[in-house]
């Protein structure tokens, strides 16, 4: 801790929020012996998960029973654990359920903070932050002012996103919806939204409500098609079944133009978006808003107000997780998902835990002059092939943060070596090493072709058609002075084991050799 004045200590790092992201970053700073303080407005960690999901069932998988024993491999199917060095503090010890209860996660987070003795101060709401003379000042509800060189905001969502629909104030919010379907017995219900919260809400009343309509301008986006865990998940398929089996429930592609109430009846004027502008007037006994969440920007003074993404619901961030326009302001957790929005898993614990491990390393490099971890390799195609394949076969970070985190291999021709860096955002690696004449990045990626039926995909299992692989598979890219100069896909594998001499090893060696 440094001092700005005689009575004004300045922390190196100040973290706002002690949810999963705040705790994960605190763990790495604690382990590094860094000067940090984490502030939490509530009296315990993970306040968001004490309220959401409303029906208490997480969509983050908890696959406890596998054929693997290695802790690193097991993390591929453990979507709730924070990274740490204690075998006792892994989430499968708290729940054996495939879709666990949110209460178990809240209990786990409290134990994580306590067992690792993380420097978290509870019941300390931060009402305003500003930046003056290069230092961030956090004003708490008690009137205390805390100062820091680096501010990391890990507050998660600040509140519900409320769409601009006349009469939307008549709708019940997801944050207030009754958790028992009995409340909607025999009622006609309009749910505005078609995400997981909308389907979760609909499923809770499926055996009670007379009519359930889910409405939004765009069609349902299924995780089966996108491979993104934030899109609608398979466990909510009962509502879709009921739609196609003509049980009066429905999924409407429409714009809700206006809501109003006449007596006990809610009326909705809608315009269908896939029916040549057809309009309709529908009547309901209840209207529920399930339109997601948004960031709370009221925290920031004009001196450090972050730029937002085009949808206005989250901050715009640079490749290093730093605010796009405020130096020294970083975002952690779900708020830092803008650069892989709807692609990898940066919105979820299983994704951002790896981002935060990388962020901790980048912060140490910037503020502590600690170089990034690296491995020096000889510039030989066979050695690079072995290293690259070992990583994609083993790393849980590359597996979970597919198409986002990469390993970078920077060729230093003067020194006659290749320098390997692990788990960097690919756009960050390309930007950082743009001055180098040759760099390789290795990621795992899904095939990008659209398929009429995702359960009936025609495969071509020959190495020269590996770029047509639909399943997760390794992709090696070549960058010359920051410009992509080549790309090699390796064939998909049912068990995600890329070791075959003919299908994987030989094609990769042949691809790398001309560059080395």
């Amino acid at each position: 801790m440094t001092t700005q004045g005689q009575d004004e200590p300045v922390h190196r790092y100040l973290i706002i929020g002690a949810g999963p992201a705040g705790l994960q970053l605190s763990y790495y700073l604690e382990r590094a012996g860094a000067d940090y303080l984490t502030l939490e407005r509530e009296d315990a960690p993970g306040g968001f998960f004490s309220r959401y999901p409303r029906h208490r069932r997480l969509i983050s998988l908890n696959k406890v029973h596998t054929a693997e024993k290695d802790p690193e491999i097991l993390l591929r199917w453990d979507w709730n654990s924070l990274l740490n060095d204690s075998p006792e503090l892994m989430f499968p010890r708290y729940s054996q359920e495939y879709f666990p209860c949110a209460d178990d996660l809240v209990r786990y987070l409290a134990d994580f903070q306590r067992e690792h003795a993380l420097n978290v101060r509870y019941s300390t709401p931060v009402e305003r932050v500003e930046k003056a003379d290069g230092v961030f000042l956090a004003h708490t509800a008690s009137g205390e002012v805390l100062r820091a060189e680096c501010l990391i905001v890990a507050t998660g969502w600040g509140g519900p996103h409320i769409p601009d629909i006349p009469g939307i104030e008549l709708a019940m919010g997801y944050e207030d919806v009754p958790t028992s379907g009995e409340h909607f017995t025999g009622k006609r219900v309009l749910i505005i939204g078609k995400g997981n919260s909308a389907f979760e809400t609909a499923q809770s009343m499926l055996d009670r409500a007379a009519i359930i309509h889910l409405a939004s301008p765009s069609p349902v986006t299924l995780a089966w098609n996108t491979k993104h865990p934030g899109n609608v998940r398979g466990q909510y398929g009962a509502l879709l079944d009921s739609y196609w089996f003509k049980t009066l429930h429905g999924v409407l592609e429409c714009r809700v133009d206006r809501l109003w109430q006449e007596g006990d009846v809610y009326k909705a004027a809608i315009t269908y978006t896939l029916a040549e502008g057809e309009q309709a007037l529908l009547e309901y006994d209840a209207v529920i808003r399930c339109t997601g969440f948004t960031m709370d920007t009221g925290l920031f003074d004009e001196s450090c107000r972050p730029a937002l993404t085009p949808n206005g619901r989250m901050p715009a961030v640079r490749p290093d997780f730093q605010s796009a326009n405020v130096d020294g302001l970083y975002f952690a957790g779900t708020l830092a998902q803008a650069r892989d929005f709807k692609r990898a898993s940066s919105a979820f614990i299983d994704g951002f835990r790896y981002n935060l491990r990388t962020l901790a390393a980048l912060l140490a490099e910037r503020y502590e002059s600690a170089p990034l971890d690296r491995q020096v390799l000889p510039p030989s195609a066979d050695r690079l092939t072995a290293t690259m394949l070992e990583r994609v076969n083993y790393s849980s970070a590359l597996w979970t943060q597919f198409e986002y985190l990469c390993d970078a291999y920077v060729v230093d021709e003067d020194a006659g070596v290749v320098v390997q860096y692990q788990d960097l955002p690919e756009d960050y690696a390309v930007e950082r090493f743009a001055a180098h004449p040759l760099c390789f990045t290795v990621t795992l990626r899904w095939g990008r072709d659209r398929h009429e039926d995702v359960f009936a995909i025609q495969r071509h299992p020959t190495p020269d058609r590996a770029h047509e692989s639909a399943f997760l598979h390794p992709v090696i890219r070549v960058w010359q002075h920051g410009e992509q100069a080549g790309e090699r896909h390796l064939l998909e594998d049912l068990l995600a084991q890329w070791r075959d001499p003919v299908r994987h090893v030989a094609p990769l060696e042949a691809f790398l050799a001309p560059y080395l």
Side-chain angles (χ1 to χ4, degrees):
M1 183 181 295
T2 60
T3 57
Q4 188 176 32
Q6 186 173 1
D7 300 317
E8 298 180 345
V10 180
H11 290 281
R12 179 61 54 84
Y13 309 105
L14 188 63
I15 302 171
I16 303 178
L23 295 182
Q24 182 70 90
L25 184 57
S26 296
Y27 168 79
Y28 281 112
L29 296 180
E30 178 73 29
R31 194 171 71 167
D35 169 29
Y36 77 98
L37 174 62
T38 300
L39 305 178
E40 169 56 44
R41 70 169 45 249
E42 302 193 27
D43 61 2
F48 181 88
F49 290 100
S50 69
R51 297 183 291 275
Y52 303 108
R54 286 290 293 158
H55 299 87
R56 311 310 294 145
R57 193 60 58 182
L58 298 173
I59 62 172
S60 49
L61 305 185
N62 182 44
K63 184 171 169 49
V64 177
H65 303 289
T66 75
E68 297 285 349
K69 301 298 182 184
D70 190 291
E72 174 71 13
I73 300 293
L74 291 175
L75 281 167
R76 294 182 171 191
W77 308 296
D78 169 3
W79 289 13
N80 300 283
S81 290
L82 298 181
L83 303 178
N84 75 108
D85 53 8
S86 173
E88 298 301 316
L89 282 172
M90 302 305 289
F91 187 78
R93 293 184 178 270
Y94 287 73
S95 174
Q96 297 281 303
E97 295 183 278
Y98 192 69
F99 294 109
C101 178
D103 296 332
D104 291 324
L105 180 59
V106 173
R107 183 166 54 92
Y108 169 74
L109 295 175
D111 286 353
F112 188 93
Q113 184 274 324
R114 183 178 59 256
E115 294 298 322
H116 287 300
L118 304 180
N119 190 20
V120 179
R121 187 189 298 181
Y122 294 109
S123 302
T124 308
V126 176
E127 295 189 333
R128 182 171 63 91
V129 295
E130 60 177 320
K131 188 178 184 184
D133 299 324
V135 174
F136 291 95
L137 291 81
H139 299 260
T140 71
S142 66
E144 183 181 13
V145 180
L146 297 160
R147 294 166 171 79
E149 296 177 53
C150 174
L151 180 68
I152 304 104
V153 177
T155 53
W157 297 122
H161 167 65
I162 301 176
D164 185 17
I165 298 172
I168 191 64
E169 67 277 1
L170 297 172
M172 178 188 305
Y174 171 70
E175 63 275 13
D176 298 316
V177 68
T179 56
S180 172
E182 294 180 0
H183 181 84
F184 301 99
T185 299
K187 293 184 178 181
R188 301 163 296 174
V189 182
L190 171 64
I191 298 176
I192 301 175
K194 289 204 203 97
N196 282 303
S197 63
F199 276 84
E200 167 204 336
T201 302
Q203 187 150 301
S204 72
M205 63 181 76
L206 194 59
D207 58 351
R208 295 285 185 171
I211 294 175
I212 305 171
H213 286 164
L214 274 63
S216 74
S218 302
V220 176
T221 305
L222 298 174
W224 288 352
N225 293 318
T226 66
K227 322 298 189 300
H228 186 265
N231 293 133
V232 176
R233 305 288 289 282
Q235 67 262 38
Y236 297 134
L239 189 282
L240 296 176
D241 279 356
S242 68
Y243 178 28
W244 289 113
F245 293 154
K246 305 179 292 298
T247 65
L248 299 180
H249 304 318
V251 178
L252 312 182
E253 284 67 53
C254 70
R255 183 178 68 248
V256 179
D257 299 315
R258 186 164 69 97
L259 295 169
W260 70 97
Q261 188 174 6
E262 293 182 5
D264 294 332
V265 174
Y266 296 94
K267 295 195 174 184
I270 68 169
T271 300
Y272 290 104
T273 54
L274 298 179
E276 300 178 351
E278 177 188 7
Q279 296 184 320
L281 177 61
L282 303 175
E283 296 184 350
Y284 300 95
D285 302 302
V287 181
I288 302 173
R289 166 182 43 78
C290 294
T291 48
F293 296 88
T294 190
M295 175 186 177
D296 177 13
T297 59
L299 177 69
F300 301 96
D301 179 86
E302 286 298 329
S303 61
C304 60
R305 189 175 300 280
L308 303 180
T309 55
N311 67 13
R313 294 169 65 177
M314 65 187 73
V317 293
R318 305 177 206 175
D320 62 353
F321 313 107
Q322 189 173 191
S323 168
N325 65 312
V326 181
D327 185 62
L329 172 62
Y330 291 80
F331 291 93
T334 194
L335 288 181
Q337 63 175 292
R339 300 198 74 86
D340 69 325
F341 184 65
K342 296 294 186 182
R343 287 193 294 122
S345 293
S346 291
F348 305 92
I349 292 173
D350 65 309
F352 65 61
R353 61 191 180 191
Y354 301 105
N355 295 354
L356 292 172
R357 183 170 65 186
T358 297
L359 174 58
L362 296 178
L363 293 176
E365 182 182 48
R366 174 177 178 176
Y367 291 97
E368 320 291 346
S369 299
L372 290 183
D373 287 342
R374 66 200 72 188
Q375 180 180 358
V376 177
L377 305 169
S380 64
D382 59 343
R383 178 62 186 275
L384 283 189
T385 294
T387 302
M388 290 176 178
L389 292 183
E390 179 184 7
R391 282 285 294 160
V392 296
N393 281 301
Y394 183 68
S395 168
S396 61
L398 298 180
W399 173 273
T400 303
Q401 286 296 70
F402 54 84
E403 304 181 17
Y404 182 56
L405 293 184
C406 76
D407 284 358
Y409 297 79
V410 182
V411 179
D412 186 336
E413 294 181 344
D414 294 335
V417 298
V418 178
V419 183
Q420 178 201 23
Y421 300 86
Q422 296 181 359
D423 301 340
L424 298 177
E426 188 175 34
D427 56 356
Y428 174 81
V430 171
E431 180 180 282
R432 176 167 176 146
F433 303 120
H436 291 263
L438 184 61
C439 174
F440 302 98
T441 58
V442 180
T443 58
L444 291 173
R445 311 186 88 86
W446 293 95
R448 276 290 159 248
D449 292 337
R450 291 188 174 273
H451 302 280
E452 183 177 348
D453 184 346
V454 295
F455 298 108
I457 298 174
Q458 178 66 49
R459 296 191 303 112
H460 305 285
T462 56
D464 62 332
R465 300 187 69 171
H467 61 283
E468 299 177 30
S469 294
F471 194 66
L472 199 68
H473 63 283
V475 177
I476 298 85
R477 288 176 170 172
V478 182
W479 304 88
Q480 295 178 332
H481 294 291
E483 298 294 329
Q484 186 174 341
E487 182 174 281
R488 176 72 209 198
H489 294 242
L490 301 182
L491 274 174
E492 60 196 354
D493 183 84
L494 177 63
L495 299 179
Q497 296 178 359
W498 297 283
R499 299 186 176 94
D500 187 272
V502 175
R503 294 159 62 91
H504 305 126
V505 177
L508 181 52
E509 279 192 17
F511 175 71
L512 295 174
Y515 295 101
L516 300 171

